[in-house]
Amino acid sequence: MKRCDVCIIGSGPAGLCALSAVREPYTMDSMTYTQVSNANAMMTRRSIAGPPQHRVCVVDPNEKWLSEWTDNFKRLGIEFLRSPAIAHPDHFDLRSLLAYAVLSGREAELIESGCAEIRKLHGLGQTQVGLWKLPSTSLFEDFCLYLADQLPHDYVKSYAIDLDRNEEGDYVVKLANGTDVVTSSVILALGPTGRPVIPEQISQVPKAHLISWKCMIDELKPCHEIVLVVGGGLTAVQAAQYALRRGKRVYLSSRRQLVERHFDIDTCWFDKRSTNLHISEFYHLSEAERLSVLKEARGGGSVPPIYMKDLREWEKKGKLTLVTADPDYIGSTDNGKLMIALNEGKTALFDCIINACGIKPDCTANPLIKKITEKFLLKTAGGFPSISVDLEWTKNLFCVGALASLNVGPDSGNIMGARRGASIVANTLECKAWLRDKEGGALANPFQLLWDDETTDSESEID
């Protein structure tokens, strides 16, 4: 049996955001230079309690941090992130990934994101110092592993298979390896959770010829010479690029024309000049309205300009055809070719189909979450946990990352949203309460001593 104060289930980017938010003593992003200096001074004074030293345990079936994230990026051959350098899990400093690149001599692994073309971002100082450049996949991974090494925690390689509560009111996380983790609080950081979307028109395609993008490395064979990729987002484009690099003749089919956009949601959600306004407006909506905003903000997927440029080059070579249609499976030929009706009733033959239509949100698709909802009678809405403004599903059970979308907003599944969500959870756990200590806290009210606890004349009853 292991004991800890906080158990984080999941070691992806959202889990690392949570670890950093819980373990870092403060964040420089919202503090002045004087406040930071005062906080550092407080931490050196023995008379001050200082930041709480929560014992944190991280549970994940993979060997190390970000394993599944890294595997997905390698599977799709992604060399650079879509998110800018300002988006990373470090709660302490927004500029730390950029600083890591500079100090490591890896500035060449930061490329322009195209933000210079977005007029409304011209006045944002962050775009002028490199914070909106795109980091390479290897740079981001190395930075995250470095960050995890700096944050004290226990890492347990195993599946979390159940969650109970003991007589003292603590949670007991039951692991597949037989270990029980007893903890005061649990943070679910399990990433996007749902069921794969398979368009009805191709659902009857023989399984041997219908390949999920997650399985294409193993299942895309040399005999698959002509490939149909179905999907209208970035994953579908990346799957098409993978097949093209393997020498395939590729058709990319989407129900609407591909939407070209730098980021998967509007920049207003992570432009610091407008973020708080949009978050506030989101909070004041009903759950049904929030679900509508979540769907509309993504808009069915989009593709950055750098990817669209690559697609056009493949088109010029005659290796790629972009099709706007809902492909319809008609049947198979005697030699196993798939007959697919595309737009205007035209039929084409394919050796296989790669499905990259994403997932339909459904948190109960995860066996652990399904057990939790049934055992604690927890509510969901639109496939997401129905959580409080503190991202609490029930007492001391929190959600971060994509699971918290219903309260964080459309960017919850992105690193910047996960970072913001993790900060909310850390504040709920009072990880930063020491900064507001009345005895000289870095964020304490400097005029506290001038307050009079007794009723003043101005507060007396007026006749």
Side-chain angles (χ1 to χ4, degrees):
M1 182 174 67
K2 292 183 67 69
R3 289 188 176 273
C4 63
D5 300 307
V6 180
C7 179
I8 300 171
I9 302 178
S11 68
L16 187 53
C17 287
L19 174 63
S20 181
V22 170
R23 290 296 313 183
E24 292 289 6
Y26 59 83
T27 175
M28 295 176 63
D29 303 345
S30 57
M31 295 171 64
T32 65
Y33 176 80
T34 300
Q35 290 171 334
V36 170
S37 298
N38 290 342
N40 289 333
M42 284 182 68
M43 292 169 65
T44 61
R45 277 187 250 158
R46 294 186 178 181
S47 59
I48 301 294
Q53 299 300 316
H54 289 299
R55 295 169 299 167
V56 182
C57 177
V58 179
V59 176
D60 193 278
N62 294 293
E63 288 285 350
K64 63 178 184 177
W65 283 93
L66 269 67
S67 291
E68 186 174 347
W69 181 91
T70 303
D71 288 345
N72 285 338
F73 271 54
K74 287 181 178 178
R75 186 176 292 115
L76 291 169
I78 302 174
E79 297 181 355
F80 288 87
L81 273 68
R82 185 178 193 175
S83 301
I86 200 174
H88 57 74
D90 185 13
H91 177 74
F92 184 70
D93 186 0
L94 208 59
R95 300 158 294 186
S96 58
L97 175 55
L98 178 62
Y100 178 83
V102 173
L103 293 174
S104 303
R106 300 173 66 176
E107 292 174 86
E109 294 184 50
L110 295 166
I111 64 171
E112 292 295 337
S113 63
C115 287
E117 302 170 13
I118 306 177
R119 188 171 182 178
K120 64 181 179 181
L121 294 180
H122 286 182
L124 191 62
Q126 296 169 341
T127 62
Q128 313 301 320
V129 295
L131 286 172
W132 281 56
K133 289 185 175 181
L134 305 182
S136 71
T137 301
S138 59
L139 174 64
F140 182 83
E141 181 187 5
D142 291 345
F143 168 77
C144 288
L145 295 178
Y146 169 80
L147 174 64
D149 283 343
Q150 307 307 305
L151 301 170
H153 67 284
D154 290 328
Y155 189 99
V156 180
K157 179 182 176 296
S158 186
Y159 283 98
I161 58 174
D162 204 353
L163 184 67
D164 284 322
R165 257 190 166 144
N166 61 21
E167 295 178 355
E168 289 75 31
D170 290 328
Y171 284 107
V172 180
V173 183
K174 296 185 175 298
L175 307 185
N177 64 8
T179 303
D180 287 350
V181 179
V182 180
T183 179
S184 302
S185 303
V186 174
I187 301 176
L188 299 175
L190 297 170
T193 306
R195 304 183 190 280
V197 174
I198 302 177
E200 184 179 354
Q201 297 93 325
I202 62 171
S203 60
Q204 299 305 311
V205 171
K207 291 184 178 180
H209 296 274
L210 183 59
I211 302 171
S212 167
W213 68 268
K214 288 191 173 184
C215 304
M216 60 186 181
I217 289 181
D218 296 323
E219 297 184 13
L220 192 61
K221 307 297 183 183
C223 60
H224 297 146
E225 298 178 356
I226 304 178
V227 176
L228 174 64
V229 179
V230 181
L234 180 55
T235 300
V237 170
Q238 291 165 335
Q241 289 176 316
Y242 173 82
L244 287 164
R245 291 194 296 269
R246 293 279 297 271
K248 311 300 183 183
R249 175 69 173 90
V250 177
Y251 286 69
L252 175 57
S253 176
S254 57
R255 61 179 53 185
R256 55 165 175 71
Q257 288 189 340
L258 297 178
V259 176
E260 186 172 332
R261 193 164 64 188
H262 285 89
F263 306 109
D264 54 354
I265 58 174
D266 193 278
T267 55
C268 64
W269 284 98
F270 42 89
D271 181 341
K272 65 179 183 179
R273 300 167 299 181
S274 59
T275 299
N276 288 339
L277 172 63
H278 283 78
I279 293 172
S280 176
E281 292 176 343
F282 186 76
Y283 279 155
H284 287 86
L285 298 176
S286 66
E287 281 190 341
E289 290 172 323
R290 292 185 190 187
L291 288 170
S292 179
V293 170
L294 293 177
K295 184 176 181 180
E296 291 174 5
R298 298 277 175 179
S302 58
V303 184
I306 189 171
Y307 284 90
M308 290 300 296
K309 180 181 178 182
D310 185 63
L311 291 184
R312 294 184 186 109
E313 292 176 355
W314 283 109
E315 275 191 296
K316 290 179 181 178
K317 296 176 183 177
K319 298 292 185 179
L320 171 68
T321 300
L322 298 179
V323 180
T324 304
D326 279 322
D328 192 0
Y329 172 63
I330 299 173
S332 301
T333 64
D334 293 338
N335 60 353
K337 300 282 187 181
L338 304 176
M339 294 186 291
I340 305 294
L342 299 174
N343 50 358
E344 299 178 356
K346 295 180 180 178
T347 302
L349 299 179
F350 297 95
D351 295 305
C352 70
I353 296 176
I354 297 176
N355 183 41
C357 292
I359 61 173
K360 181 180 180 181
D362 182 1
C363 60
T364 61
N366 181 286
L368 173 64
I369 294 181
K370 184 175 176 60
K371 286 184 179 180
I372 291 174
T373 56
E374 294 173 349
K375 184 172 295 184
F376 296 100
L377 302 178
L378 301 179
K379 295 181 180 180
T380 63
F384 298 102
S386 186
I387 54 180
S388 71
V389 293
D390 295 323
L391 310 191
E392 201 172 31
W393 207 356
T394 188
K395 182 65 175 178
N396 289 335
L397 175 63
F398 302 91
C399 297
V400 295
L403 287 175
S405 295
L406 206 54
N407 226 297
V408 173
D411 64 337
S412 185
N414 295 358
I415 299 171
M416 294 179 77
R419 190 174 184 267
R420 191 172 75 249
S423 180
I424 293 172
V425 173
N427 287 335
T428 304
L429 293 174
E430 298 188 344
C431 298
K432 309 295 181 286
W434 71 282
L435 293 168
R436 293 180 172 81
D437 189 288
K438 292 182 180 180
E439 301 298 326
L443 299 181
N445 187 343
F447 303 104
Q448 183 72 35
L449 294 176
L450 301 179
W451 286 22
D452 187 352
D453 292 334
E454 298 181 2
T455 303
T456 63
D457 292 339
S458 61
E459 295 172 314
S460 62
E461 185 176 346
I462 299 175
D463 294 333

